[in-house]
Amino acid sequence: MNAVEAFDAVDLIRTKRDRGELSTDQIDWLVDAYTRGYVADEQMSAMAMAIFLNGMSRREIRDMTMAMLASGERLDFSALGKPTTDKHSTGGVGDKITLPLMPLVASFGVAVPQLSGRGLGHTGGTLDKLESFPGWRAELSNEEVFAQLRDVGGVICAAGAGLAPADKKLYALRDITGTVEAIPLIASSIMSKKIAEGTGALVLDVKFGSGAFLKDIERSRELARTMVELGEDAGVATSALLTNMNVPLGLTIGNANEVRESVEVLAGGGPADVRELTIALAREMLELAGVADADVERALDDGRAMDTWRASIRAQGGDPDAPMPVAKEQHVVTADRDGVLLRQDALSFGIAAWRLGAGRARKEDPVQHAAGIDLHAKPGDEVRAGQPLFTLHADQPARFARALESVEGAWEIGDAGAAVQDGGPLIAERIGR
Ligand code: URA
């Protein structure tokens, strides 16, 4: 005989639909029953939409997070005998910060377990970028992750299927039901995975602006506060930086070209914004892990972070000296007049890179590692008529037309002295203890 279920999904959906609160027991049951397939996708879709429309209390969000955490395993790195610290970004255009950040922080003797994902839509995925190295392996066993943290100090790899399986199922459903952009669902999704990963400290890079999930800073602030509270409640030292994603980060959007730019940062150079954010996040991660006043700039400039990077690529089967793939076709867009670049919209450029083949429309699609965009100017830069503004890279020239459509009207050259797109400072706020 089948076990008697504690609740009825329809009752719970009605409660949320009518703006009621779900109890801890109801949320525990819902997440568990959905994970084992008793609650159907149709029912969970209705629930996700009710949450999207009516929200959840802080207590409900905490219960949702803990229920998704309990759906899988929780890693434990205490046997390493050193502190662990990690960073999570809510995703943006040209956001390659994880690549230089992991080895930089690990070079201070703090373990960095960076369990990452693949890109979907216009925001890139860290694993897709690293797979530009032929032979580099994203999938590691828990034992391999532990060994790499012990021997190299840091690891960037795929989050295993055992971590928060309820979230994997629910996130895939949200993706096709228009329910991704709900703060309770984003917060519980991200934090259940990060708590499961077993890190002792966590810094959240919460983006706002055109290229971010949440466009306005107020909603990003609310998301950041919610996630910081969830982390602290679970015993993870957590803070957040609110960072500007109105303009692409750095001068590259894609995969292989973003690796190239990350290596420049690890060599002490690279674009100023990528270096600034890498340094700020590294300081935050180290402080939360108990390493005060670390000379982070020095570790970039003297090659220590680069040594850790090279060791980590090698440990996962890649060759850090391998040439990055190059696309078969290029299309250069030039300035049509003298003046100053006033605008460069992150979302439009992100979509263009995706249309060139750098991203995927469906989870199972491959990405083209050499596809993407190199920017030759940023807002505020003076340009001359005929000067290259950006270069599109693709393997199939047929992709250029749709990519160009996406950036139409997304950039603008004006007279010297005209107002440059007001992106504000790159790092707008810090949230945390
Ligand atoms: N990233 C996640 O892991 N989950 C979300 O809900 C949104 C972004």
Side-chain angles (χ1 to χ4, degrees):
M1 213 170 74
N2 289 341
V4 176
E5 295 291 335
F7 297 99
D8 178 7
V10 180
D11 288 342
L12 272 51
I13 295 165
R14 285 201 188 105
T15 302
K16 242 324 122 199
R17 181 197 66 189
D18 299 338
R19 297 171 187 267
E21 267 200 35
L22 299 175
S23 69
T24 304
D25 286 347
Q26 286 174 324
I27 291 174
D28 284 349
W29 175 81
L30 178 72
V31 171
D32 174 60
Y34 178 58
T35 310
R36 59 187 158 81
Y38 180 78
V39 169
D41 278 345
E42 296 84 329
Q43 294 176 307
M44 203 59 181
S45 306
M47 177 61 88
M49 187 56 83
I51 294 170
F52 182 96
L53 295 172
N54 295 331
M56 274 183 144
S57 69
R58 283 289 162 92
R59 197 266 310 148
E60 287 178 299
I61 299 173
R62 193 172 57 235
D63 290 344
M64 187 83 183
T65 308
M66 298 317 279
M68 291 209 285
L69 173 67
S71 72
E73 60 182 332
R74 187 169 178 173
L75 303 184
D76 179 4
F77 297 122
S78 54
L80 282 172
K82 51 183 176 179
T84 46
T85 188
D86 189 13
K87 183 261 328 187
H88 179 84
S89 158
T90 55
V93 176
D95 183 4
K96 70 277 295 170
I97 301 291
T98 295
L99 273 54
L101 185 63
M102 179 283 280
L104 174 58
V105 174
S107 73
F108 285 87
V110 172
V112 187
Q114 261 279 341
L115 274 46
S116 303
R118 289 173 204 284
L120 197 60
H122 75 276
T123 62
T126 300
L127 303 180
D128 296 325
K129 301 182 208 301
L130 283 167
E131 282 172 347
S132 303
F133 287 105
W136 184 86
R137 257 186 338 121
E139 319 286 336
L140 301 183
S141 67
N142 290 350
E143 292 70 31
E144 287 174 313
V145 172
F146 187 92
Q148 191 165 325
L149 287 174
R150 184 191 57 211
D151 301 340
V152 176
V155 61
I156 301 172
C157 65
L163 292 188
D167 174 64
K168 289 206 171 61
K169 211 174 158 191
L170 180 56
Y171 191 65
L173 190 69
R174 288 167 54 210
D175 204 39
I176 55 167
T177 55
T179 52
V180 167
E181 300 90 347
I183 288 176
L185 297 176
I186 299 175
S188 54
S189 164
I190 292 174
M191 293 308 290
S192 61
K193 283 177 291 207
K194 286 289 148 182
I195 298 165
E197 174 194 281
T199 186
L202 176 66
V203 178
L204 299 158
D205 179 3
V206 181
K207 308 280 188 200
F208 63 90
S210 97
F213 256 126
L214 301 177
K215 311 293 178 206
D216 51 279
I217 191 164
E218 289 76 22
R219 299 241 302 143
S220 299
R221 187 182 294 121
E222 188 189 337
L223 175 65
R225 286 199 177 127
T226 307
M227 293 197 292
V228 168
E229 270 183 27
L230 289 171
E232 294 286 345
D233 284 352
V236 178
T238 309
S239 69
L241 299 184
L242 292 189
T243 70
N244 191 316
M245 192 23 79
N246 282 305
V247 174
L249 200 48
L251 292 168
T252 55
I253 310 164
N255 293 297
N257 58 352
E258 292 200 30
V259 172
R260 201 186 63 230
E261 188 170 274
S262 303
V263 172
E264 287 167 20
V265 172
L266 285 162
D273 56 350
V274 180
R275 182 174 160 100
E276 178 189 345
L277 190 51
T278 303
I279 288 170
L281 288 166
R283 283 212 184 97
E284 215 33 65
M285 287 170 74
L286 287 164
E287 261 169 39
L288 289 186
V291 182
D293 303 322
D295 193 346
V296 176
E297 277 110 326
R298 181 118 179 247
L300 280 179
D301 298 339
D302 69 10
R304 258 179 299 159
M306 180 72 95
D307 291 344
T308 306
W309 160 260
R310 293 173 62 81
S312 77
I313 298 296
R314 249 188 245 111
Q316 287 170 254
D319 171 3
D321 297 315
M324 285 289 107
V326 175
K328 294 195 180 82
E329 308 286 339
Q330 275 75 36
H331 179 96
V332 180
V333 174
T334 54
D336 50 0
R337 53 168 286 193
D338 290 354
V340 172
L341 186 64
L342 300 179
R343 256 178 358 99
Q344 190 174 59
D345 177 62
L347 178 61
S348 310
F349 277 86
I351 292 173
W354 172 51
R355 288 180 175 175
L356 291 168
R360 56 171 68 75
R362 296 173 311 161
K363 275 208 300 287
E364 50 285 4
D365 291 346
V367 301
Q368 295 177 11
H369 292 104
I373 303 176
D374 290 341
L375 304 168
H376 308 303
K378 300 273 280 183
D381 288 351
E382 267 183 37
V383 295
R384 312 280 304 176
Q387 171 188 328
L389 285 182
F390 52 92
T391 304
L392 310 181
H393 302 267
D395 285 336
Q396 300 110 333
R399 289 181 179 266
F400 289 139
R402 290 205 64 225
L404 288 168
E405 232 173 66
S406 160
V407 292
E408 222 176 275
W411 55 274
E412 185 187 342
I413 299 172
D415 295 333
V420 172
Q421 172 181 355
D422 181 23
L426 176 61
I427 302 169
E429 269 174 51
R430 177 187 183 279
I431 290 170
R433 295 188 256 170

